[in-house]
Amino acid sequence: MRRWIIAVIVEVGLIVLALMWAVLSWCNGIRTTDFGPSGDAPGFTATRYAAPSLLLAAVLLAVAGVLAVDATARLVRGIRGLAGAGR
C-alpha cells in the first residue's frame, strides 16, 4: 500500500474525531437554566455561553478544515501520480 493512502486514511480519521469533539465542546459550551415564576415575576430561561468551550469548538473546526484540505491535496496528488505512472 502506498504511503499517501495511509496518510489520507489517518487524516480522515482525525477529521472525524476533531468534528465529533467540536460538536461535544459546542454542546457543553451552551448551558440553559429554567427559572419558574416567583410572585409577580414571570418564569424565564437563561442561557449561559462558556467561551472556552466555544473557542475550543471553533479551533477544532478550523483544524478539521485544514486536515480536509491536506487530505484532498494528498489524494489528488496520489491519483495523478498513479495516472502518470501508467503512461
Side-chain angles (χ1 to χ4, degrees), residues 5-76:
I5 296 173
I6 295 171
V8 169
I9 291 170
V10 168
E11 284 183 336
V12 168
L14 289 174
I15 290 167
V16 170
L17 286 175
L19 289 175
M20 287 177 16
W21 198 10
V23 168
L24 288 174
S25 179
W26 186 267
C27 290
N28 286 331
I30 300 174
R31 308 251 169 102
T32 58
T33 306
D34 293 323
F35 293 97
S38 176
D40 290 341
F44 66 96
T45 300
T47 304
R48 178 179 173 262
Y49 298 97
S53 293
L54 298 178
L55 178 64
L56 177 62
V59 169
L60 287 169
L61 188 62
V63 167
V66 169
L67 286 172
V69 169
D70 187 53
T72 303
R74 285 180 192 266
L75 186 63
V76 168

